[in-house]
């Protein structure tokens, strides 16, 4: 057996000749002259043509075959499965044979192999020319159907640390599935918003809009001119081009003025220095620092409407504040957003409310917990309104998990990248642990907000 390239004047006869890679666009080769090719710039009759050379090489090759001629090309797209044409030379050869024989020789001579080597057609014995000799594929096809295995299984208990950082603790509960993938498996799941936009932006991105508005509101609260903030945003390329960007900047300025006008005057003063926290709760030591504290309590504002992750962070920060009780700070929390305000008053048994959060945090180090911000909050909120109707609460959770309609560029909770990966081939809402987590952790907050105690 001889392997060689196709070169002119080497038409040595062979009993069997195989031409591989006769794909459309690959043979004959395209003529793409370089910029300094003077022959291509000023063509004349009789100049050498690469395409004509390839046609002559193809003629020499097929004349060298004495017993069998084998032509191979990629006839199906590996990405979409669509049929692909062969080289124009192969098509011309088939057309010539069809004209000579008076029938469609392409259908008679062409053998289409399956796209994948593990196709059942390669092992069913229907055509000996398609037979495969890979035993691993044959064993896989002969095996009985099996349910797809979950992506994850509980990890071995490595003795979770009893000293918990306050900020890592809050970050974990804002998205337990994402934190578990990042902390235990070192997987950083990218969001769809991380990709570069394919079209010119005609509006500000949501994150950029919120960041700009927060900077403008903070400048207004502290009596600073907003013009430097606007200049920084314009220089960062976060605005649409031209007058449209200036119009968006003016609109963000008006929205910032409305939000700043609703905030209490206490936020105009400077916050207290970060207060250290060292709590011993249920065998865990919670350490860190609390920010944004004032004599009146922990006060903050959010641009836009408070989402589920921010609500969890507010509740946990409030419980830690009430359990630590730093000197000179009232055990109250308040958060203002575009929809109104959320006020949380003193919790006498804050440590008791934090204990299940810490216990479930330890469990969440070994396995992803079925705790989802919007979905779990919908369950707890509906259960607080109708304590005797858990089925109604579960139906509300399903509406967030798999909604019938999604507005704008939103995404269902089950389709979020980290959750979709960690709970692949599973239905976590059917797990009793989902309801237990929502009732144990979020129901106390939902009851306080529902009863007007917060």
């Amino acid at each position: 057996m001889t392997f060689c390239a196709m070169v002119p004047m080497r038409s040595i006869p062979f009993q069997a000749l195989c031409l591989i890679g006769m794909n459309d666009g690959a043979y004959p080769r395209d003529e793409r002259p370089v910029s300094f090719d003077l022959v291509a710039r000023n063509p004349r009759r009789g100049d050498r043509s690469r395409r004509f050379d390839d046609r002559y090489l193809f003629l020499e090759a097929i004349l060298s075959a004495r017993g069998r001629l084998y032509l191979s090309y990629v006839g199906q797209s590996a990405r979409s499965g669509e049929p692909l044409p062969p080289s124009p030379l192969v098509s011309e050869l088939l057309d010539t044979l069809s004209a000579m024989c008076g029938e469609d020789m392409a259908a008679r001579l062409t053998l289409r192999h399956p796209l994948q080597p593990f196709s059942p057609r390669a092992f069913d014995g229907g055509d000996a020319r398609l037979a495969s000799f890979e035993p691993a594929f044959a064993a896989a096809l002969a095996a009985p159907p099996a349910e797809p295995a979950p992506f994850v299984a509980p990890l071995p208990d490595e003795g979770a640390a009893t000293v918990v950082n306050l900020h890592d603790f809050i970050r974990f509960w804002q998205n337990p599935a994402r934190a578990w993938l990042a902390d235990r498996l070192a997987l950083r799941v990218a969001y769809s918003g991380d990709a570069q936009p394919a079209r010119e932006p005609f509006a500000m991105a949501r994150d950029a809009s919120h960041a700009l508005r927060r900077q403008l509101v903070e400048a207004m609260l502290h009596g600073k001119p907003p013009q430097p903030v606007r200049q920084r945003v314009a220089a960062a390329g976060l605005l649409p081009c031209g007058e449209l960007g200036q119009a968006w900047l003016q609109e963000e300025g008006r929205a910032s003025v409305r939000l700043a006008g609703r905030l209490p005057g206490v936020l105009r003063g400077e916050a207290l220095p970060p207060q250290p926290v060292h709590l011993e709760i249920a065998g865990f030591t919670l350490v860190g620092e609390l920010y944004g504290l004032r004599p009146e309590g922990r006060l903050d504002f959010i641009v836009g409407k408070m989402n589920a992750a921010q609500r969890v962070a507010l509740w946990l920060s409030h419980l830690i504040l009430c359990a630590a009780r730093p000197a000179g700070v009232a055990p109250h929390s308040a958060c203002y957003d575009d929809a109104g305000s959320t006020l949380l008053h003193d919790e006498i048994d804050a440590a008791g409310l934090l204990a299940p959060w810490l216990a479930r945090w330890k469990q969440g180090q070994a396995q992803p917990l079925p705790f989802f911000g919007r979905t779990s909050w919908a369950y707890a909120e509906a259960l607080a309104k109708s304590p005797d109707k858990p089925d109604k609460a579960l139906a509300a959770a399903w509406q967030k998990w798999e909604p019938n309609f999604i507005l704008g560029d939103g995404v269902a909770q089950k389709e979020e990248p980290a959750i979709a990966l960690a709970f692949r081939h599973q239905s976590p809402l059917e797990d009793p642990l989902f309801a237990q987590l929502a009732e144990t952790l979020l129901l106390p907050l939902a009851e306080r907000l529902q009863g007007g105690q917060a």
Side-chain angles (χ1 to χ4, degrees):
M1 182 178 294
T2 302
F3 292 88
C4 62
M6 297 175 64
V7 293
M9 306 302 294
R10 298 288 179 87
S11 54
I12 303 175
F14 286 96
Q15 187 65 26
L17 185 67
C18 303
L19 300 181
I20 302 174
M22 306 299 291
N23 305 327
D24 183 29
Y27 195 88
R29 293 166 291 179
D30 292 335
E31 292 186 90
R32 296 180 180 178
V34 294
S35 60
F36 52 84
D37 189 349
L38 300 181
V39 175
R41 183 178 301 178
N42 302 297
R44 296 181 180 181
R45 181 176 298 181
D47 289 346
R48 184 175 181 179
S49 172
R50 180 179 296 178
R51 293 185 63 86
F52 289 157
D53 289 347
D54 288 346
R55 294 177 68 90
Y56 181 74
L57 287 175
F58 181 75
L59 176 60
E60 281 191 335
I62 62 177
L63 292 177
S64 300
R66 292 295 181 260
R68 177 170 298 182
L69 175 64
Y70 175 89
L71 305 177
S72 174
Y73 67 94
V74 177
Q76 190 174 0
S77 171
R79 181 180 297 272
S80 61
E82 298 179 355
L84 299 177
S87 166
L89 301 181
V90 177
S91 300
E92 292 179 13
L93 177 61
L94 293 175
D95 293 342
T96 302
L97 294 176
S98 299
M100 294 173 58
C101 300
E103 60 177 310
D104 185 9
M105 297 302 295
R108 182 177 177 180
L109 298 177
T110 303
L111 175 64
R112 293 190 174 275
H113 290 265
L115 178 62
Q116 304 294 348
F118 47 81
S119 172
R121 292 175 54 199
F123 299 92
D124 58 5
D127 191 340
R129 297 175 299 175
L130 303 179
S132 174
F133 303 95
E134 176 56 53
F137 295 155
L141 290 171
E147 291 293 331
F151 172 72
V152 295
L155 298 179
D157 187 7
E158 298 180 353
T162 58
V163 179
V164 185
N165 181 272
L166 185 153
H167 300 289
D168 291 341
F169 176 68
I170 295 177
R171 176 184 57 84
F172 171 86
W173 283 111
Q174 288 181 313
N175 194 326
R178 183 178 62 191
W180 186 83
L181 290 172
D183 298 341
R184 296 306 308 272
L185 300 183
L187 292 178
R188 301 300 195 277
V189 182
Y191 287 88
S192 58
D194 295 342
Q196 294 295 329
R199 299 181 180 179
E200 180 181 356
F202 291 96
M204 288 191 67
R206 184 181 60 179
D207 294 343
S209 173
H210 288 183
L212 168 60
R213 204 179 305 176
R214 184 173 184 89
Q215 294 180 39
L216 290 174
V217 172
E218 290 178 347
M220 296 175 188
L221 291 176
H222 295 88
K224 299 179 180 179
Q227 191 61 28
V229 176
R230 303 188 181 195
Q231 293 175 351
R232 286 197 302 269
V233 172
L238 301 177
L239 294 173
C241 298
E243 294 298 328
L244 182 59
Q246 296 301 319
W248 270 100
L249 192 57
Q250 294 177 6
E251 177 60 28
E252 294 294 337
R254 288 190 290 266
S256 302
V257 170
R258 291 193 297 269
L259 179 58
R262 295 179 45 251
L263 299 179
V266 178
L267 290 175
R268 299 182 182 275
E270 293 293 334
L272 297 176
Q275 299 296 311
V277 173
H278 189 282
L279 297 174
E280 300 284 347
I281 300 175
F284 294 91
T285 303
L286 196 60
V287 297
E289 293 180 331
L290 281 176
Y291 295 86
L293 300 182
R294 305 171 189 274
E296 295 78 8
R298 187 177 183 276
L299 282 69
D300 197 3
F301 70 92
I302 293 175
V303 175
K305 188 178 180 180
M306 181 183 298
N307 57 36
Q310 292 166 338
R311 186 181 295 109
V312 169
L314 174 64
W315 177 238
L316 291 177
S317 299
H318 176 68
L319 293 180
I320 294 172
L321 171 63
C322 294
R325 296 186 178 275
V329 179
H332 301 285
S333 298
C335 186
Y336 302 86
D337 60 3
D338 291 346
S341 61
T342 302
L343 306 178
L344 301 175
H345 300 299
D346 188 11
E347 292 289 345
I348 303 302
D349 189 23
L353 292 173
L354 279 172
W357 289 89
L358 288 165
R360 295 299 187 180
W361 171 86
K362 181 178 181 180
Q363 182 182 1
Q365 304 307 302
Q367 67 181 76
L369 298 178
F371 182 90
F372 319 105
R374 288 176 287 159
T375 305
S376 299
W377 175 250
Y379 181 91
E381 190 176 31
L383 193 63
K385 296 178 180 178
S386 304
D388 56 341
K389 297 180 179 179
D391 295 341
K392 184 178 179 180
L394 188 58
W398 276 104
Q399 284 298 320
K400 294 295 184 180
W401 178 256
E402 193 174 10
N404 298 325
F405 176 76
I406 299 177
L407 183 63
D409 58 350
V411 62
Q413 184 98 70
K414 64 175 293 187
E415 300 296 338
E416 293 182 6
I419 295 175
L421 177 61
F423 293 92
R424 187 172 60 187
H425 305 315
Q426 300 183 52
S427 183
L429 268 63
E430 298 177 0
D431 188 347
L433 183 58
F434 167 77
Q436 295 175 10
L437 291 173
E439 295 175 10
T440 306
L441 306 180
L442 292 179
L443 187 58
L445 174 61
E447 290 175 344
R448 284 153 177 76
L449 296 180
Q450 181 68 26
Q453 299 179 14

